[in-house]
Amino acid sequence: MPMMTRDVLLEMELEEDDEEDGDIGNVPASKRPLMAPPTLPSSLALENLEQTIVSGFGSLESQQDFRTPEFEEFNGKPDSLYFNDGQRRIDFVLVYEDESRKETNKKGSNEKQRRKRQAYESNLICDGLQLEATRSLVDDKLVFVKVHAPWEVLCTYAEIMHIKLPLKPNDLKTRSSAFDNFNWFTKLLQVDESIIKPEQEFFTAPFEKNRMNDFYIQDRDTFFNPATRSRIVYFILSRIMYQVRDNVKKFGINKLVSSGIYKAAFPLHDCNFSSPSEDLSCPNERYLLYREWAHPRSIYKKQPLDLIRKYYGEKIGIYFAWLGYYTQMLLLAAIVGVACFLYGYFTQNNCTWSKEVCDPDIGGQIIMCPQCDKECPFWSLNVTCESSKKLCIFDSFGTLVFAVFMGVWVTLFLEFWKRRQAELEYEWDTVELQQEEQARPEYEARCTHVVINEITQEEERVPFTTWGKCIRVTLCASAVFFWILLIIASVIGIIVYRLSVFVIFSVNLRKISNGTDPIQKYVTPQMATSITASLISFIIIMILNTIYEKVAIMITNFELPRTQTDYENSLTMKMFLFQFVNYYSSCFYIAFFKGKFVGYPGDPVYWLGKYRNEECDPGGCLFELTTQLIIIMGGKAIWNNIQEVLLPWVMNVFGRCHTVSGAEKIIPRWEQDYHLQPMGKLGLFYEYLEMIIQFGFVTLFVASFPLAPLLALVNNILEIRVDAWKLTTQYRRMVPEKAQDIGAWQPIMQGIAILAVVTNAMIIAFTSDMIPRLVYYWSFSIPPYGDHPDYTMEGYINISLSIFNTADFKSRVKESPYAGSKYDTCRYRDFRYPPGHQQEYKHNIYYWHVIAAKLAFIIVMEHIIYSVKFFISYAIPDVSKSTKSKIKREKYLTQKLLHENHLKDMTKNIGVIAEKMIGAAVENSLRPKSD
């Protein structure tokens, strides 16, 4: 096939589908973006293109036909990370299917794809990259294009991307830790330094080619580590054009992969995870990570964060650092939560009001009113005996103590994490990262409008005008609001289900039990309704998650954020808002709405004008809220592990089913990695989202379930190792990315922490029965309201249940079947005057005492906890004094080093110039003067 120049390749007229005409890269050539995709470098002349292709391109299709034998044959080294010459390192791999060997009738479409790929690969060569092609040993239709970035390309783009590189070794002394005295214990938890050696620390500065001599370059092959090399090559691949049609430019490897022109694009793992490489030059970091991080035997050890960061990049490193720190802090919360739970468990036998419920002479004699209009029967209070016993475990004084503790704990966690994050910023050299971030290619492609920058007063290109931005924001906000309304509609559907099936369970459970079966003892209508509704709610939540994930991505793409950080932050807020409503709405309903607006038997309140509102058990809805939390938290953990562990493993098994037995020993590293699963750019986003939702359950509703931190702790210990196992064994290596912090998740956690104080205070006040019991104990158990001479809880059940005259059913409820009941009166959960009183069925004085106590409790608890939170936030600085000193010291030494080197160069140049001037002056003085 004849050689094609770059101009010919870019001016090819290609027919396309309507769908491709809507490509995000459609930008007229006359309106080039601010950061246009790189074109032919000035240092590489077009006349040298053919020589470059021959030397670096191997036998790719822009040079020769693939059916010719000039393809580079595999050299038989399965762990090799180099081209066949053994010199040039493979920095990236592109995979595609050879159209000439496809069994398809779409010849026109295949030709288009081939020509686009041909143009793209030629432009890669024009930009200085070197390529080499190798056929698959398993499937001859697959072609692997290996990409290598030479030294000049790495230096050029390191300067463009403002990548910080070593200047000199760090000579600052690390301070001794207070835990050094416990070295014998902490050494058991640390990674063995003889296996994973500590990384040498350097002072760094943004790379500049004209100051190359100032940088610590001992070996050009190792100056740019593999992660940095892959990041630079990916930056280039994302900005190289592959087509120009009608003055419209299209570019980027992401679009080529999504359109099927390439099957995959990824950097290589450095070896097999289960055994070290036979190549002595290979660092075997993947094997070390699997052995000391992902293997189950290392579950008790600390994470090798520096090696994680070195191998996978700062973005993944900061996630595991945050997850590990969160898990460590959960240990304290879990210990206190278990202590509060045990306190409630061992004191449940002293629960006087539960004893009264279970007492046949008290609870057995109290007849409760029907909880629906026609089908529900009268029922005895002691049928709730078992649930009242369980409620005593969770609704105790320990719950109040734990809720206050968690309000303080969450503040301590967030403040100490900020300090830890600041330390990582210094250690991982991301303090000034925001200066390095580049615009997304999708954003650059839309920059068609010229505006004046208010700061620089220079022209710059933006994707849309101010009005256009306002319209987009309005449309996005409307779309988010609309989908949230759909979530609320699904919650209303669950509520209608609860109201409908409660009647069915009330009738059928009692028919089945006949009053003697154990079913009646352990399964009440309320419990059966709650469990089934929680299961259905969980299923709906999982279905809606899948839908809203795609919706949030579509809305964010339409919004078009400038940088990748902006994109992820915007998507984070939308997804969390969807998930917040989706996961927590049912819990908020049970905690703050169920049983709160029910009226009384003679005048019930109806939902949607048809369904009678649900009532709580006589002990309140706290136990039902606990049940809901257990089902959602447990089900979510199980479902996520199935998705994260089982699904990738099964997919990889099917992906390798084409290989013969033992093929892993002979096929090269790039082909082994191809059969792994792609992580995806949003893979880490979902890991964060999963943990933040769990964080919400642990903090927002912890007053109803003190064992939630323990469940979260166990889950997270496994989560760390499961995520590590996935990354090292089941997924391709991700493109390393820089990250300064955890992004938008930090303010989200701070918002949850503030909201958690309110929700837990309101759960204790309105969902549990603690405040009414305290009011009775301190005020209504003794004269003048009570008959007991001393403070006691005896008689609480009697005062907490109001009396209703069954004869009033006839006058107050039309066509009521209960008017002719054999019972003269029945009881219901409320604080109202009895029949015959001058304020019949009105709220009594006890009710107003309870309301006042609840409001006072909320105000006092919130103010106390918020005051403590404010004091802690003020007392604990976000950056420790030692870290501030290190940052200032490094900045000073870095500037001094660069300044001194610059002065030396200037002095040397001045000396040379002075010598030349003196020599010229002497020469002129010796020259004879003319008349």
Side-chain angles (χ1 to χ4, degrees):
M1 189 170 98
M3 181 70 62
M4 294 187 182
T5 65
R6 178 178 174 275
D7 294 333
V8 174
L9 292 172
L10 291 182
E11 292 175 0
M12 288 189 296
E13 295 291 336
L14 302 179
E15 298 179 0
E16 294 189 341
D17 299 330
D18 293 337
E19 180 179 73
E20 289 189 12
D21 289 337
D23 188 283
I24 60 172
N26 294 352
V27 183
S30 60
K31 299 180 178 180
R32 291 187 60 180
L34 179 62
M35 293 185 61
T39 55
L40 184 64
S42 58
S43 61
L44 186 61
L46 279 175
E47 56 268 19
N48 295 329
L49 176 59
E50 183 173 353
Q51 181 180 357
T52 304
I53 292 178
V54 173
S55 61
F57 203 44
S59 53
L60 293 173
E61 56 188 342
S62 63
Q63 180 186 355
Q64 297 178 17
D65 194 326
F66 270 116
R67 288 167 290 185
T68 61
E70 275 72 17
F71 247 107
E72 295 290 343
E73 294 294 334
F74 172 50
N75 57 19
K77 298 179 180 179
D79 287 333
S80 176
L81 302 176
Y82 294 87
F83 279 16
N84 284 341
D85 58 15
Q87 301 296 322
R88 293 171 291 177
R89 184 183 180 90
I90 301 172
D91 299 315
F92 227 84
V93 175
L94 309 179
V95 187
Y96 68 90
E97 282 190 285
D98 183 2
E99 289 83 359
S100 64
R101 303 200 178 190
K102 284 185 181 180
E103 296 179 1
T104 177
N105 296 323
K106 298 180 180 179
K107 294 183 179 180
S109 177
N110 291 341
E111 179 65 17
K112 294 177 190 176
Q113 292 187 351
R114 189 185 64 82
R115 296 173 70 186
K116 288 180 183 178
R117 187 169 57 248
Q118 178 180 328
Y120 182 73
E121 290 169 354
S122 295
N123 286 338
L124 289 179
I125 298 172
C126 290
D127 211 52
L129 297 181
Q130 297 177 3
L131 312 180
E132 182 180 82
T134 303
R135 280 203 183 277
S136 169
L137 297 181
V138 178
D139 184 356
D140 62 356
K141 293 192 297 293
L142 287 179
V143 177
F144 295 88
V145 181
K146 294 165 281 186
V147 183
H148 169 75
W151 170 258
E152 283 297 325
V153 174
L154 293 173
C155 292
T156 299
Y157 279 92
E159 184 172 5
I160 293 174
M161 298 170 66
H162 305 288
I163 294 177
K164 289 186 175 182
L165 293 169
L167 285 172
K168 62 175 293 188
N170 189 340
D171 57 358
L172 294 179
K173 295 181 179 180
T174 57
R175 296 186 179 183
S176 60
S177 173
F179 293 100
D180 291 344
N181 297 327
F182 302 94
N183 190 45
W184 59 271
F185 175 72
T186 57
K187 197 171 183 179
L188 296 174
L189 305 178
Q190 298 287 352
V191 176
D192 191 348
E193 292 187 358
S194 64
I195 299 176
I196 298 181
K197 298 180 180 180
E199 294 292 325
Q200 184 179 5
E201 295 184 4
F202 291 91
F203 295 126
T204 61
F207 185 77
E208 297 179 29
K209 291 180 67 175
N210 58 356
R211 289 189 173 184
M212 189 179 298
N213 294 332
D214 296 336
F215 288 86
Y216 190 78
I217 305 177
Q218 289 188 320
D219 185 356
R220 286 191 173 189
D221 294 334
T222 59
F223 181 65
F224 295 98
N225 62 37
T228 303
R229 296 177 67 100
S230 298
R231 192 156 68 93
I232 292 174
V233 172
Y234 180 73
F235 181 88
I236 299 172
L237 294 176
S238 299
R239 287 161 171 78
I240 291 295
M241 287 180 290
Y242 62 86
Q243 182 189 2
V244 175
R245 177 174 179 262
D246 297 332
N247 291 329
V248 174
K249 299 180 180 180
K250 298 185 179 182
F251 55 87
I253 187 62
N254 293 331
K255 180 61 180 177
L256 290 170
V257 172
S258 63
S259 60
I261 297 176
Y262 283 100
K263 301 283 289 184
F266 53 88
L268 289 179
H269 284 294
D270 63 358
C271 67
N272 199 310
F273 70 88
S274 58
S275 60
S277 173
E278 297 179 358
D279 187 354
L280 297 179
S281 64
C282 179
N284 294 309
E285 292 172 349
R286 185 190 186 193
Y287 168 72
L288 295 177
L289 285 171
Y290 174 74
R291 175 180 170 181
E292 299 296 324
W293 179 43
H295 199 279
R297 69 186 174 197
S298 302
I299 195 169
Y300 64 92
K301 291 185 177 181
K302 290 186 177 181
Q303 302 181 83
L305 293 177
D306 288 334
L307 184 58
I308 297 170
R309 170 249 182 169
K310 179 184 177 184
Y311 192 75
Y312 288 110
E314 286 78 5
K315 192 171 185 178
I316 290 182
I318 198 73
Y319 163 73
F320 281 102
W322 171 80
L323 181 56
Y325 198 82
Y326 171 45
T327 304
Q328 292 177 21
M329 291 294 293
L330 275 176
L331 179 61
L332 176 61
I335 292 173
V336 178
V338 170
C340 293
F341 173 81
L342 293 176
Y343 170 82
Y345 180 81
F346 288 116
T347 59
Q348 62 176 323
N349 294 329
N350 300 327
C351 190
T352 305
W353 62 272
S354 179
K355 291 181 180 179
E356 292 182 351
V357 171
C358 298
D359 191 340
D361 297 328
I362 301 177
Q365 300 301 318
I366 295 178
I367 304 301
M368 302 296 293
C369 297
Q371 293 183 317
C372 56
D373 291 337
K374 295 182 180 181
E375 300 293 336
C376 301
F378 293 89
W379 53 286
S380 177
L381 179 61
N382 64 351
V383 300
T384 62
C385 175
E386 292 300 322
S387 62
S388 66
K389 289 180 180 179
K390 295 182 180 68
L391 187 61
C392 287
I393 300 175
F394 299 100
D395 195 2
S396 64
F397 180 74
T399 301
L400 173 60
V401 174
F402 188 56
V404 175
F405 167 79
M406 288 300 293
V408 177
W409 172 88
V410 70
T411 304
L412 290 172
F413 163 62
L414 293 176
E415 293 303 318
F416 281 123
W417 164 247
K418 289 179 184 177
R419 291 168 64 89
R420 175 60 177 152
Q421 188 170 255
E423 293 175 1
L424 292 175
E425 286 179 15
Y426 166 75
E427 294 174 3
W428 292 355
D429 213 10
T430 59
V431 176
E432 298 177 354
L433 175 64
Q434 296 192 4
Q435 298 178 2
E436 302 176 10
E437 192 162 16
Q438 306 292 336
R440 297 166 60 237
E442 294 85 354
Y443 179 90
E444 295 174 350
R446 289 289 188 181
C447 292
T448 58
H449 298 276
V450 179
V451 297
I452 302 297
N453 189 300
E454 295 181 357
I455 298 175
T456 62
Q457 294 298 310
E458 296 179 355
E459 288 188 355
E460 65 178 12
R461 295 186 181 276
V462 295
F464 28 72
T465 62
T466 303
W467 280 108
K469 185 175 182 179
C470 292
I471 293 173
R472 283 179 179 257
V473 171
T474 302
L475 292 175
C476 291
S478 302
V480 170
F481 181 70
F482 170 77
W483 286 99
I484 288 177
L485 290 180
L486 289 184
I487 299 177
I488 296 176
S490 69
V491 175
I492 294 175
I494 295 294
I495 295 174
V496 172
Y497 166 83
R498 300 172 69 99
L499 299 175
S500 302
V501 301
F502 174 77
V503 178
I504 299 174
F505 283 128
S506 297
V507 176
N508 295 331
L509 284 177
R510 288 179 173 85
K511 287 182 180 179
I512 295 173
S513 63
N514 293 324
T516 58
D517 197 276
I519 292 178
Q520 184 179 4
K521 181 179 180 181
Y522 294 101
V523 183
T524 63
Q526 290 91 343
M527 182 181 296
T529 302
S530 176
I531 292 175
T532 57
S534 298
L535 291 173
I536 294 174
S537 178
F538 172 74
I539 294 172
I540 293 177
I541 285 171
M542 293 297 104
I543 295 173
L544 291 179
N545 279 348
T546 305
I547 298 174
Y548 293 135
E549 171 188 325
K550 294 178 173 59
V551 170
I553 292 174
M554 289 174 58
I555 296 175
T556 308
N557 288 338
F558 178 76
E559 188 180 344
L560 198 62
R562 180 179 180 273
T563 65
Q564 184 64 23
T565 299
D566 294 338
Y567 180 88
E568 292 182 2
N569 289 345
S570 179
L571 180 62
T572 295
M573 297 305 297
K574 294 179 181 64
M575 279 295 292
F576 177 75
L577 193 58
F578 288 151
Q579 299 277 28
F580 184 91
V581 179
N582 199 17
Y583 275 105
Y584 303 143
S585 54
S586 59
C587 296
F588 275 103
Y589 165 73
I590 295 174
F592 306 124
F593 295 97
K594 182 182 176 182
K596 304 300 184 294
F597 312 100
V598 296
Y600 62 96
D603 187 20
V605 176
Y606 291 89
W607 176 265
L608 301 178
K610 180 179 180 181
Y611 301 98
R612 181 171 167 176
N613 276 1
E614 285 185 281
E615 297 181 29
C616 295
D617 279 335
C621 288
L622 190 69
F623 185 67
E624 185 174 347
L625 178 59
T626 303
T627 304
Q628 179 86 357
L629 287 173
I630 293 174
I631 290 176
I632 293 181
M633 283 190 68
K636 181 175 178 293
I638 294 172
W639 177 255
N640 286 334
N641 285 327
I642 291 175
Q643 278 189 314
E644 295 178 5
V645 179
L646 189 60
L647 189 60
W649 179 78
V650 171
M651 295 288 288
N652 286 334
V653 169
F654 280 110
R656 291 192 296 264
C657 67
H658 299 291
T659 62
V660 296
S661 177
E664 289 82 358
K665 298 180 180 179
I666 60 172
I667 65 174
R669 165 59 39 210
W670 49 85
E671 191 159 354
Q672 293 182 44
D673 285 4
Y674 173 71
H675 292 297
L676 298 177
Q677 294 300 304
M679 184 69 174
K681 295 194 70 173
L682 297 177
L684 204 59
F685 168 81
Y686 298 117
E687 301 294 341
Y688 271 117
L689 183 61
E690 176 188 350
M691 289 295 103
I692 295 298
I693 294 297
Q694 180 205 87
F695 179 78
F697 281 120
V698 168
T699 55
L700 291 174
F701 307 101
V702 75
S704 66
F705 188 39
L707 292 181
L710 178 63
L711 294 182
L713 174 65
V714 174
N715 177 79
N716 289 4
I717 291 175
L718 298 176
E719 180 75 18
I720 291 174
R721 306 304 164 176
V722 167
D723 288 346
W725 176 81
K726 286 189 309 181
L727 284 177
T728 55
T729 66
Q730 303 301 309
Y731 285 98
R732 297 171 189 160
R733 188 174 181 177
M734 294 178 63
V735 179
E737 294 183 58
K738 285 279 187 178
Q740 189 176 26
D741 48 36
I742 61 174
W745 302 112
Q746 184 80 25
I748 286 176
M749 286 194 298
Q750 291 173 341
I752 291 176
I754 295 173
L755 182 61
V757 178
V758 180
T759 56
N760 284 299
M762 294 183 66
I763 286 173
I764 294 174
F766 294 106
T767 308
S768 78
D769 219 26
M770 184 178 298
I771 301 300
R773 292 200 302 268
L774 291 175
V775 171
Y776 176 81
Y777 181 81
W778 292 107
S779 299
F780 284 80
S781 64
I782 59 175
Y785 300 108
D787 300 330
H788 301 279
D790 299 322
Y791 296 104
T792 181
M793 285 301 298
E794 294 180 6
Y796 171 73
I797 286 298
N798 184 59
I799 198 173
S800 66
L801 298 175
S802 299
I803 303 173
F804 183 77
N805 191 342
T806 57
D808 292 334
F809 275 119
K810 185 175 182 179
S811 59
R812 296 175 179 271
V813 183
K814 296 181 179 179
E815 300 179 0
S816 173
Y818 308 119
S821 171
K822 63 179 180 180
Y823 302 108
D824 295 332
T825 60
C826 61
R827 309 295 288 270
Y828 60 99
R829 174 184 164 84
D830 209 342
F831 306 110
R832 296 178 183 268
Y833 288 112
H837 193 275
Q838 60 181 0
Q839 295 184 4
E840 183 180 55
Y841 301 130
K842 300 293 184 181
H843 287 119
N844 56 26
I845 190 172
Y846 182 70
Y847 170 82
W848 298 110
H849 276 75
V850 170
I851 290 296
K854 288 181 177 181
L855 295 177
F857 170 80
I858 293 174
I859 294 172
V860 172
M861 180 177 174
E862 287 182 358
H863 279 70
I864 290 176
I865 297 180
Y866 281 138
S867 299
V868 174
K869 287 167 69 70
F870 175 78
F871 174 77
I872 293 175
S873 301
Y874 178 79
I876 303 177
D878 293 347
V879 183
S880 65
K881 186 176 180 180
S882 61
T883 304
K884 287 182 179 179
S885 299
K886 290 178 181 179
I887 294 173
K888 292 178 180 179
R889 173 70 175 164
E890 180 179 0
K891 190 172 184 179
Y892 166 75
L893 292 177
T894 302
Q895 291 177 346
K896 182 180 178 181
L897 178 65
L898 293 176
H899 181 66
E900 288 178 351
N901 290 338
H902 184 59
L903 285 179
K904 289 179 181 178
D905 293 339
M906 289 183 62
T907 303
K908 183 178 180 180
N909 293 334
I910 291 174
V912 172
I913 295 173
E915 290 179 358
K916 290 181 178 180
M917 292 178 64
I918 293 172
V922 171
E923 184 178 351
N924 289 334
S925 65
L926 297 177
R927 188 177 300 170
K929 297 181 179 180
S930 61
D931 296 333

